[in-house]
Amino acid sequence: MTAARAAVRLAAVADPRPMVVEEDGRHLLAGGRCRPNGHVLNRPVPRCPRCRGEVAPARFGPDGAVWAVTVVHVPAREGDDVPYTLAYLDLDAGPRLLVRLDESLAPAHVGARVRLTASTPAGDPAAEVLA
Amino acid sequence: MTVCIWGVGTSSFGRQPDRLPAELAWEAVNEALEDAAVDGVDAAYVGTVFGAPGVAQRALWGVGITGIPIITVENACASGTTALHEAREAILAGRFERVLALGVEHISTLFEGPIAPEATDPEQASGLLLPALYALSASRHMADHGTTASDLAQVAVKNSTHGALNPRAQRRRAVTEEEVLASRPIAEPLTLFQCAGLSDAAAAAVLGPARRGERDIPIRASALRSGEAWDQDSEHVWGFDVVRATAGDAFEEAGLGPHDADVVELHDAFTIGELVTIEALGLAGEGEAAARVRAGELSLGGTQPVNPSGGLLSRGHPLGATGLAQVAELVWQLRGDAGDRQVEGARTALVETMGGGAAGLDGNGCVVAILGG
C-alpha cells in the first residue's frame, strides 16, 4: 500500500520575465516589434497589445534612460536583500523595461543614462547607471 | 429606468485573522438587507481578489441566500465596484429586479506585509510590489510636476484626519506630516503611513429599481473599463489614462462634470494614487492636485471633500470589499447619516476605484460611478 500524497503545487511556474541576451559583449533585450505599426515590446508576444498586429522578434539596447526610479526597503521574495533599486528604463528607440538598477558608478535619477548588464543571479533584468 | 441603492452595510475593518470571511460577509449583508428593508434578493454579484473558491456561496448560505444566481468577479482592487456596476447593468437589462452586490476579502491569513508578487506576471516576477509600482509613479510625477515628499505626506495627513472621525476605520488617529515622513520607508518616496493597511472586511449594497421613499440613492451613472497598453508611448503615469477614460464615460452618462460632485471617494491605496486620481478625474489640473489638498479644499469643510471616510489609507484596504465600502460611505453622506464626517448638503457623489498589477497594462480594471443628484 502506498501512502497518500498531500496536494501541493508541483513546480515553479515558467519564467515570465523579459529576457536579456549577450551578443558581441553587449547586453540586449530580446523583445519584439509589431510588423504593421512598429510598436516596440519588451517581450515577443504573439500579437501587439496596441494594434493586434503580428510581432517579429527584435533586439533593443543596451543604452537607455531612467523613466522612473525607486529604492525599495521591503523584500518582495525569499532571498531579496534590502534596500534595492528598481527602475523603469526607456531603451533608446526601444521599449520600457523594469530593471534592477546598479547605482555603484553614479546615483540614479529620472533621465539618467543607463546601460543594460547581465541579469541578476535571481534572473531579473538589470542595468547600471553610467558615470 | 433608474437603478437605486436601497441599502448598504459593512463589517468592521482591520486584521481579523480569528474571524472567517463568511462572518465578515454576514455582518455586511445583514446590515444592507435591513437597511434596504428587504428579506431577499434575486441574484448576487460578489467581488473578491484572493477569496477562496466558493467564498461567496459559503458566505451567503449563512444568511439564508441560496438557490439564486451567484456571480463572482475579480478585477483587482476594483472588484467590489465591478460587482456594483454589473449588478446595475443586470437590472437595467431586465435580467433581475433586486440584486446584492457584495465585496469580501480576508487577507491577514495570507500576507504578512505587502501583497506577495504574482509569479506569472512579467514584472511582479522581478519583485515589483504594488507600493513599488506606485513609488515609480511618484518618482515620475515629482520629476514632471515638481511634486514633493511633503505634498505626498499631506494626503495622508488629510485622510487620517478624516479617518479619526470614522468609527469603522482601521486607523483612527490623525497623523502629522512629520510623523508620515518619519514612518518606515517602504518604496521611496513612499513611507509606511502613505500605504493603505491591508484589511479583512466585507461590504455590501442592495440594488433595485426606484421605490417610493427618500432613502434610496439613485445610481446616476456607472462606467467600467480595463486599462489599455501602458508603455513608453503612454503620455501619463500608470493608471492616469484608464481613470480619465472611465470617468469620461460616467460624466457623459450623467451629463455632469468633475466639479458637480459634492463629495468624492477615490482610490488612495497610496498617497500618490490620490494625487494622480484627483488629476485624472479632472478635480484638478495636471500637477495641481497637491495645491488643492494643501489649501484644504478637499478636506471636510472644504469645497469638495475627497475621502471623508479616511479613504483606503485610514479605513483600510480589503481589496475586493473596498469599492463597496466607498459606496456605503457615499450613501451615508447623501442621506445625511455620516455623523461627525458629514459633508453638509451633499447631493451628488462620485466614487472611483481602480486596481492593477498586470504588467504592460494601464490597470486591470477601473469603475467610476456617480450617485445621487
Side-chain angles (χ1 to χ4, degrees):
Chain A
M1 202 171 88
T2 53
R5 283 171 61 179
V8 292
R9 185 165 206 160
L10 282 178
V13 300
D15 191 341
R17 291 172 290 192
M19 193 165 49
V20 173
V21 296
E22 189 173 352
E23 279 181 9
D24 306 326
R26 301 188 311 164
H27 292 93
L28 302 176
L29 172 68
R33 178 182 281 113
C34 85
R35 292 184 198 275
N37 293 303
H39 295 131
V40 291
L41 304 167
N42 63 27
R43 290 190 304 149
V45 288
R47 293 293 185 116
C48 175
R50 288 198 178 270
C51 65
R52 240 189 86 70
E54 282 187 34
V55 174
R59 297 274 198 269
F60 301 103
D63 289 1
V66 171
W67 185 82
V69 58
T70 179
V71 176
V72 184
H73 292 263
V74 289
R77 301 162 300 186
E78 291 283 332
D80 277 342
D81 289 324
V82 292
Y84 54 92
T85 304
L86 283 177
Y88 276 126
L89 309 183
D90 283 354
L91 293 171
D92 295 345
R96 185 164 296 164
L97 178 69
L98 180 78
V99 298
R100 283 288 191 112
L101 199 55
D102 179 347
E103 295 182 272
S104 54
L105 295 179
H109 57 87
V110 170
R113 296 296 297 169
V114 295
R115 183 167 294 157
L116 290 177
T117 60
S119 294
T120 68
D124 300 326
E128 61 185 0
V129 184
L130 298 174
Chain B
M1 177 176 42
T2 302
V3 174
C4 293
I5 298 173
W6 290 2
V8 292
T10 79
S11 69
S12 51
F13 292 77
R15 296 183 85 84
Q16 309 181 65
D18 53 340
R19 304 185 69 204
L20 291 166
E23 295 176 51
L24 302 173
W26 296 341
E27 258 182 74
V29 172
N30 278 334
E31 185 182 1
L33 288 171
E34 194 170 316
D35 191 32
V38 294
D39 230 8
V41 290
D42 308 319
Y45 286 82
V46 183
T48 186
V49 180
F50 290 100
V55 62
Q57 287 80 355
R58 212 171 280 122
L60 294 177
W61 170 84
V63 284
I65 298 177
T66 59
I68 58 165
I70 297 173
I71 302 110
T72 301
V73 298
E74 188 276 310
N75 235 352
C77 303
S79 298
T81 28
T82 297
L84 177 92
H85 178 85
E86 290 302 311
R88 174 181 184 249
E89 291 290 324
I91 295 167
L92 287 173
R95 187 172 173 200
F96 308 115
E97 190 177 344
R98 303 168 307 169
V99 181
L100 174 72
L102 168 66
V104 59
E105 206 70 57
H106 197 273
I107 34 193
S108 65
T109 48
L110 297 177
F111 306 117
E112 172 88 34
I115 299 163
E118 167 54 41
T120 58
D121 183 82
E123 290 186 339
Q124 293 188 42
S126 278
L128 184 66
L129 300 166
L130 280 161
L133 174 62
Y134 277 91
L136 288 163
S137 285
S139 159
R140 188 70 201 187
H141 203 270
M142 290 167 125
D144 284 347
H145 300 295
T147 308
T148 65
S150 163
D151 290 337
L152 294 171
Q154 281 298 320
V155 174
V157 170
K158 170 178 76 71
N159 290 355
S160 71
T161 304
H162 295 170
L165 303 173
N166 185 350
R168 300 193 195 211
Q170 181 169 10
R171 296 174 181 163
R172 293 190 55 199
R173 188 172 74 80
V175 294
T176 64
E177 179 177 324
E178 292 68 32
E179 285 178 282
V180 173
L181 293 174
S183 64
R184 193 158 63 86
I186 302 297
E188 297 179 25
L190 302 178
T191 55
L192 182 65
F193 288 3
Q194 301 186 54
C195 306
L198 289 178
S199 194
D200 304 320
V206 176
L207 279 64
R211 303 183 292 189
R212 286 172 193 272
E214 296 174 358
R215 286 178 57 80
D216 295 351
I217 299 297
I219 302 177
R220 193 156 168 175
S222 175
L224 163 68
R225 285 195 184 217
S226 63
E228 298 191 14
W230 184 82
D231 57 25
Q232 65 287 340
D233 295 328
S234 302
E235 211 176 305
H236 293 104
V237 298
W238 179 82
F240 181 102
D241 290 330
V242 70
V243 172
R244 171 143 295 185
T246 311
D249 294 343
F251 289 137
E252 188 180 341
E253 185 188 352
L256 296 174
H259 295 287
D260 294 320
D262 301 315
V263 55
V264 176
E265 285 277 313
L266 59 75
H267 198 74
D268 61 328
F270 302 90
T271 50
I272 181 64
E274 173 155 330
L275 293 181
V276 170
T277 304
I278 287 168
E279 294 169 9
L281 290 171
L283 304 176
E286 288 181 44
E288 293 170 4
R292 279 206 86 187
V293 172
R294 201 174 283 280
E297 294 169 16
L298 309 183
S299 298
L300 280 169
T303 50
Q304 194 173 32
V306 169
N307 287 327
S309 67
L312 283 56
L313 284 168
S314 289
R315 184 180 47 231
H317 187 17
L319 312 180
T322 277
L324 285 157
Q326 294 173 306
V327 168
E329 172 71 14
L330 292 177
V331 166
W332 296 326
Q333 289 285 351
L334 292 171
R335 288 175 175 166
D337 288 345
D340 292 343
R341 56 188 197 287
Q342 180 66 46
V343 176
E344 289 307 323
R347 292 176 47 83
T348 303
L350 182 148
V351 58
E352 177 273 347
T353 333
M354 84 85 78
L361 282 177
D362 193 38
N364 297 13
C366 177
V367 172
V368 175
I370 297 168
L371 311 181

